[in-house]
Amino acid sequence: MSVSLTINGTEIKAEVGMTVLEAARANDIHIPTLCYAPGLRAVGACRLCVVEIEKMRGYPSACTVPVSDGMVVHTETEEVQNLRRETLSLILAEHPYTCLVCKDYCGIFHGGTIRKAAVTTGCQYCPANGQCELQDLIDYLHVEDIPYPITYRGLPVETHDPFFDRDYNLCILCGRCIRACQEVRHNGVLAFINRGSQTIVGTAFGRSHLDTECQFCGYCVDVCPTGALYDKRGKWEGKPDAVIPSVCPYCSVGCAVDVQVKNGHMIRALGHQDGPSNDGQLCVRGRFGMVDIVHNLGRLKTPLMRREDRLVEVSWEEALAVVAEKLGQYQAGQFGLIASATATNEENYALQKFARVVMQSNNVALAAGLPDFDGDGALATDILRTIDGPAIGQVRQAACILAIGTNLSESHPILSLEIRHALSQGASLITIDTRETGLAKRSKVWLQPKVGTDQALLAGIIKVLADQDGRSGNGTGPAELSAVDLDRVTALTGVDQAKIEAAAECLAGQAPAVIIYGSGVTHHPSAQKVINAIRRLAALAGNTGVIGVPGEGNFVGGHDVGLHPALLPGYQPVAEAEGRAIFEQTWGVTLNAEPGRSYEGLVDGIRQGEIKALYLAGEIPPMAELEKLEFLVLQDIVTTDNIQYADIVLPATTFAEMDGTLTNLEGRIQRLRQAIPPIGFSQPGWLVVADLAHRMGSQAFNYQSAAEVLAEIAELVPAYAGVTLDSLDVAGQLCRFPAVEPDTTPLSLDGIPEIASTEFPLTLITERNLLYYHGADLTDQVSGMNLIKQEEILQLSSADAARLGIVDGDLVKVVSPYGSTECIVEITNGSMPAGTVFASFNRVNNSSLFPGLTPSAKAYAIRIEPNGEV
Ligand code: SF4
């Protein structure tokens, strides 16, 4: 319903519930503000938005007064403007205001603040100069002098936190950062501390942000209207020349970002306000890590070739000529290609096509792809081909959320934020995880099954739910459920029946619900059974969506465009002639019908000497096996440990230097836009591969742009039909394939795989770390992350620690069937069952514990040898 009101003599319409400020802004009427920020609760504290409203006493704050029919508002009367000037003067009296008193003379005096105040308080020494909202207000209100003495707080600038500095001398106590932390990020790290004139913003007990729950999302920095909070990196870059909308490639949420650019350099990344899956928010990886990665000293800038055991700079011409000549010497089965899930659809499409068309090899794999347990791509097809869950932004509307096998707070923080939104509105959270994760701590019900028993636990919940009110539809019929004995479920999983019933009760009574599963489900041998059980549970609960959460940024897109040994683009089985036909026709070749090697198979092939030449595009953990290759082409953005084995190194562009698309976990195709020129002589991966294919005699790579590669994808992959770069705005395009028939395999408590053994009696589980990109090489480029990451820690239950005679802080040797590594032990109490140990995914990935084995696997058999017994 709308009302009519008059602002400054103009009649406007506004929706009931809007404030005067919102109504004015919707009609391009300016009312100044300071403490107000869109998305935050209006508090009317700064008094800059005061207005006159006829028949209303005093000068109310426009940000807090709701519109009403017939209201008459005046926003710029002399009284109102004088009141604002007075308010601003009082604020400036506690803020270094040389930005005001000498702003007209700075040019004359060579841009340095040399008068009236110490240089440490001058505008040239404020990182927000030119972007500070106080400066805008000073101009708007024509404030030229302040009738009060300046009070300089004399607080030390706090520089010890890893990603941003805090100078509370510049703080105007608007409280935006506090509300951002509390209301938007649901964290509550910041508050007003002290009293009266001593009031400042800070953490409880003045602790460092490192010692709080701070996630370093940077939203407090984003909303600060002055230079009080500022990124360390790019602090003095000032205003950007351009802001280019793009996408964060570092997890499959696919947050929309605004890439700020100055003088051809990326200076900052902020959340894009209209981001469909992130609503303006980012996590620490997207907010503070990107610039360090794009502009770091380890960037590969020119092709390198090994000569006399040294890598020397060469031209692209020379490098590609050698690659073409060398690869031409290998047969299909001798060649392999490993690509990255952070690469674009266009890059990965061109890479797999190169392997299949030019090298006649299906040995193509994503470095962090889905395990291919049966060698036929069934799991990838089942999970990724049809994504029909709710959008990320709908999770906040759920009344009940069940998270299984996923620690979203660390792996996909913006999806975790959606859960926090839902919880703040009263939703219930059920977590199924062997370890007490961040989500488990916030849960109404935490079910802690033994590793690998999720299928039995879900069968138990289904049984209780069905028994509660006689529901038994969707293939979960009475006959099937009669085989599910709850006592046996408890014996298998270690979860009390009461907790199983509590979870079922939550799901039964609260709709809509969402079930979110992650790599803790998809990377176990029982993945398919667990996913089937999840779908049964959702169908039985009713009004329940299911979201699968893969890891890396373009995980879904990589699979969509054929980065899979058994699947052509669009999930067409390479072994089926019908599936191959359209590709053979378009690409003009007869394709190899033999499915290729998975990632593990490729590594094994290298170890056995069967894979002799490898094209490695992107980051994989350091692998000594690469030394066995006869020829290794390494295409990457930074120098990695694996460069020591490379014969040719090809420098690739980052997401900021090229156009293209990424597909997120919702199946949303999103557009990357080139924001800066390529660093050095780096080139987009699709261009490198097209050039190489030409040199090797193929006519099927006639691309001049990423748009042309996408056009070919759109022609061949039905879900991408009609998609062009120009058709993709910030919202992207949700595109999936037709639904497949649901699996009807009966629920079963049997076939639970054993992981531990007599020789290796402990089960090591892993999870991603918030402060880590997929591998160490990118993380190492981000100085803030290097400061605080803790990947050397191994968590051990107190029972296992007592049995092994280990105390907190001990250095132990962790031994697997393949190798060993050393870790420092942290003993946990109740957060993990006995028999289970935990290390970060990255710690395991970058060790010799499991060289070249499934890098994303989630459970491994190990033993621990206390130091001294080694
Ligand atoms: Fe990037 Fe994922 Fe973080 Fe979003 S949640 S900023 S996509 S890493």
Side-chain angles (χ1 to χ4, degrees):
M1 201 172 90
S2 64
V3 294
S4 294
L5 69 159
T6 305
I7 300 183
N8 299 341
T10 304
E11 189 174 318
I12 62 168
K13 294 263 184 230
E15 292 302 309
V16 171
M18 284 175 113
T19 63
V20 171
L21 179 67
E22 288 165 343
R25 290 200 170 171
N27 288 276
D28 294 329
I29 299 169
H30 178 64
I31 297 177
T33 54
L34 262 183
C35 68
Y36 172 85
L40 301 183
R41 185 173 43 90
V43 289
C46 72
R47 309 290 299 155
L48 260 299
C49 70
V50 289
V51 291
E52 277 185 46
I53 300 177
E54 291 183 11
K55 299 184 189 155
M56 197 176 279
R57 287 176 56 189
Y59 298 92
S61 307
C63 70
T64 54
V65 174
V67 292
S68 61
D69 203 38
M71 186 179 251
V72 180
V73 183
H74 305 279
T75 70
E76 292 195 332
T77 64
E78 197 177 333
E79 290 80 4
V80 163
Q81 293 295 68
N82 282 337
L83 204 53
R84 289 172 180 160
R85 276 186 205 103
E86 178 67 12
T87 305
L88 184 59
S89 297
L90 286 165
I91 291 171
L92 287 169
E94 288 203 338
H95 183 91
Y97 58 85
T98 37
C99 53
L100 166 65
V101 296
C102 66
K103 71 187 175 71
D104 291 336
Y105 307 103
C106 271
I108 301 168
F109 290 103
H110 308 295
T113 300
I114 54 173
R115 303 176 304 114
K116 295 205 184 238
V119 290
T120 49
T121 64
C123 64
Q124 297 297 318
Y125 302 89
C126 173
N129 185 28
Q131 303 168 86
C132 175
E133 293 182 29
L134 291 179
Q135 290 176 325
D136 294 340
L137 281 169
I138 287 164
D139 286 344
Y140 167 71
L141 292 170
H142 306 295
V143 174
E144 288 173 353
D145 201 0
I146 294 167
Y148 305 107
I150 182 172
T151 303
Y152 185 65
R153 295 191 186 114
L155 298 168
V157 180
E158 298 182 27
T159 58
H160 46 263
D161 285 326
F163 300 103
F164 52 89
D165 292 339
R166 292 176 284 142
D167 181 355
Y168 289 126
N169 297 299
L170 304 178
C171 173
I172 55 166
L173 301 174
C174 66
R176 283 195 203 175
C177 57
I178 296 171
R179 281 174 286 144
C181 190
Q182 290 178 346
E183 296 166 14
V184 179
R185 303 299 296 217
H186 306 289
N187 242 358
V189 167
L190 298 174
F192 285 121
I193 56 175
N194 301 336
R195 287 284 180 274
S197 62
Q198 302 302 307
T199 303
I200 56 168
V201 172
T203 61
F205 310 110
R207 288 178 297 176
S208 152
H209 280 220
L210 285 171
D211 299 326
T212 66
E213 293 283 302
C214 181
Q215 303 289 297
F216 298 102
C217 68
Y219 195 47
C220 56
V221 181
D222 298 351
V223 297
C224 177
T226 72
L229 302 177
Y230 234 85
D231 312 29
K232 280 185 190 297
R233 175 101 194 199
K235 184 170 178 177
W236 302 106
E237 298 282 1
K239 277 175 94 162
D241 300 335
V243 177
I244 316 291
S246 194
V247 184
C248 172
Y250 292 116
C251 89
S252 50
V253 171
C255 294
V257 295
D258 282 335
V259 174
Q260 294 193 355
V261 172
K262 187 163 191 178
N263 298 329
H265 279 67
M266 180 177 175
I267 59 170
R268 224 167 276 125
L270 300 184
H272 188 95
Q273 286 309 319
D274 299 325
S277 51
N278 61 312
D279 206 13
Q281 302 300 309
L282 295 178
C283 78
V284 59
R285 295 189 292 249
R287 177 66 178 81
F288 292 112
M290 289 188 180
V291 181
D292 276 345
I293 286 175
V294 172
H295 298 289
N296 75 76
L297 295 175
R299 270 303 292 272
L300 292 165
K301 295 181 180 164
T302 189
L304 305 172
M305 185 184 296
R306 189 166 296 282
R307 282 195 187 128
E308 295 173 2
D309 213 27
R310 283 182 55 232
L311 285 169
V312 296
E313 293 188 358
V314 292
S315 65
W316 274 105
E317 176 64 35
E318 204 175 346
L320 291 183
V322 170
V323 176
E325 193 259 318
K326 283 283 194 182
L327 288 185
Q329 299 170 12
Y330 295 97
Q331 309 293 318
Q334 298 173 322
F335 172 81
L337 185 146
I338 297 174
S340 160
T342 55
T344 62
N345 290 325
E346 293 70 25
E347 289 181 299
N348 277 338
Y349 173 80
L351 283 164
Q352 62 81 35
K353 180 177 167 184
F354 172 80
R356 289 180 158 128
V357 170
V358 181
M359 299 302 296
Q360 277 290 300
S361 174
N362 288 312
N363 289 336
V364 295
L366 276 178
L370 275 175
D372 192 20
F373 298 113
D374 300 320
D376 58 359
L379 186 65
T381 305
D382 183 51
I383 296 177
L384 302 176
R385 187 173 184 274
T386 306
I387 298 177
D388 56 2
I392 291 170
Q394 290 173 321
V395 171
R396 66 180 65 186
Q397 287 148 20
C400 180
I401 298 157
L402 190 160
I404 173 168
T406 181
N407 186 9
L408 296 169
S409 330
E410 300 275 333
S411 62
H412 297 74
I414 294 301
L415 184 48
S416 158
L417 182 59
E418 284 294 321
I419 296 179
R420 289 187 183 201
H421 287 321
L423 295 182
S424 73
Q425 291 163 39
S428 299
L429 175 62
I430 307 162
T431 300
I432 298 179
D433 209 301
T434 304
R435 180 169 164 266
E436 188 179 25
T437 59
L439 287 185
K441 287 187 183 130
R442 291 174 181 260
S443 295
K444 183 172 179 185
V445 184
W446 171 35
L447 307 176
Q448 191 183 20
K450 292 176 194 159
V451 176
T453 63
D454 290 352
Q455 73 187 77
L457 183 57
L458 288 167
I461 299 173
I462 290 169
K463 164 98 172 167
V464 173
L465 194 54
D467 286 353
Q468 268 178 1
D469 56 5
R471 287 188 257 193
S472 60
N474 300 299
T476 312
E480 182 182 11
L481 289 173
S482 62
V484 177
D485 173 58
L486 287 180
D487 290 335
R488 188 158 169 239
V489 169
T490 294
L492 286 168
T493 62
V495 178
D496 287 350
Q497 211 162 307
K499 286 209 165 178
I500 296 172
E501 286 165 0
E505 197 177 313
C506 264
L507 275 167
Q510 299 178 54
V514 182
I515 303 178
I516 303 174
Y517 67 89
S519 51
V521 168
T522 56
H523 288 65
H524 276 289
S526 57
Q528 192 66 69
K529 287 179 181 167
V530 178
I531 291 164
N532 289 343
I534 288 170
R535 290 175 182 155
R536 301 274 176 86
L537 178 59
L540 186 63
N543 201 358
T544 299
V546 177
I547 298 177
V549 182
E552 295 293 288
N554 200 28
F555 185 94
V556 174
H559 287 85
D560 285 353
V561 300
L563 228 310
H564 194 287
L567 301 170
L568 289 159
Y571 301 90
Q572 293 295 335
V574 75
E576 291 178 9
E578 202 184 332
R580 289 195 307 277
I582 184 166
F583 296 95
E584 292 180 335
Q585 192 184 342
T586 308
W587 294 344
V589 291
T590 302
L591 291 172
N592 182 344
E594 179 88 8
R597 292 172 182 262
S598 63
Y599 178 87
E600 297 77 27
L602 278 169
V603 176
D604 199 44
I606 296 169
R607 206 178 281 132
Q608 307 300 332
E610 292 162 6
I611 296 291
K612 298 180 187 301
L614 185 73
Y615 195 118
L616 180 53
E619 191 193 9
I620 63 169
M623 262 204 297
E625 283 85 347
L626 297 179
E627 193 174 14
K628 294 187 185 248
L629 289 163
E630 290 179 8
F631 186 63
L632 173 62
V633 184
L634 188 75
Q635 176 187 303
D636 212 333
I637 59 171
V638 295
T639 305
T640 68
D641 285 345
N642 288 327
I643 202 170
Q644 60 187 304
Y645 310 115
D647 295 285
I648 298 282
V649 178
L650 305 175
T653 45
T654 66
F655 78 99
E657 299 146 54
M658 63 182 164
D659 286 322
T661 56
L662 302 173
T663 306
N664 81 346
L665 65 87
E666 303 164 292
R668 189 185 299 277
I669 306 170
Q670 296 176 285
R671 180 170 177 184
L672 280 187
R673 284 181 175 78
Q674 182 177 0
I676 58 172
I679 303 283
F681 294 101
S682 59
Q683 291 189 6
W686 63 264
L687 184 59
V688 175
V689 168
D691 193 345
L692 185 59
H694 278 302
R695 289 166 191 269
M696 296 182 73
S698 174
Q699 301 302 313
F701 289 76
N702 294 318
Y703 313 123
Q704 303 303 316
S705 65
E708 290 182 14
V709 186
L710 180 59
E712 188 171 305
I713 297 172
E715 198 183 311
L716 292 170
V717 179
Y720 287 62
V723 175
T724 63
L725 283 187
D726 289 341
S727 72
L728 296 173
D729 57 15
V730 170
Q733 198 167 319
L734 280 171
C735 300
R736 295 318 298 158
F737 301 82
V740 287
E741 286 297 309
D743 187 284
T744 52
T745 315
L747 294 168
S748 168
L749 302 187
D750 299 324
I752 292 176
E754 279 293 329
I755 296 163
S757 62
T758 313
E759 193 182 352
F760 299 99
L762 296 171
T763 302
L764 170 67
I765 55 174
T766 69
E767 279 169 8
R768 281 171 196 279
N769 181 327
L770 175 67
L771 294 163
Y772 232 105
Y773 292 92
H774 172 61
D777 294 308
L778 288 187
T779 312
D780 286 348
Q781 315 306 326
V782 183
S783 50
M785 290 184 182
N786 274 326
L787 269 179
I788 55 178
K789 66 186 187 197
Q790 291 192 332
E791 81 275 27
E792 299 302 323
I793 302 295
L794 182 87
Q795 291 185 345
L796 186 66
S797 73
S798 48
D800 287 325
R803 186 174 53 78
L804 292 164
I806 292 168
V807 297
D808 218 31
D810 272 3
L811 185 70
V812 296
K813 186 175 183 181
V814 184
V815 186
S816 79
Y818 308 92
S820 65
T821 190
E822 287 188 329
C823 286
I824 296 164
V825 167
E826 179 184 296
I827 295 176
T828 64
N829 209 352
S831 70
M832 272 188 317
T836 306
V837 295
F838 169 81
S840 83
F841 163 77
N842 315 89
R843 178 69 187 94
V844 173
N845 216 357
N846 290 297
S847 73
S848 56
L849 270 182
F850 302 96
L853 280 189
T854 319
S856 305
K858 295 293 167 184
Y860 308 84
I862 57 134
R863 69 167 181 267
I864 291 177
E865 295 175 359
N867 214 15
E869 292 180 19
V870 178

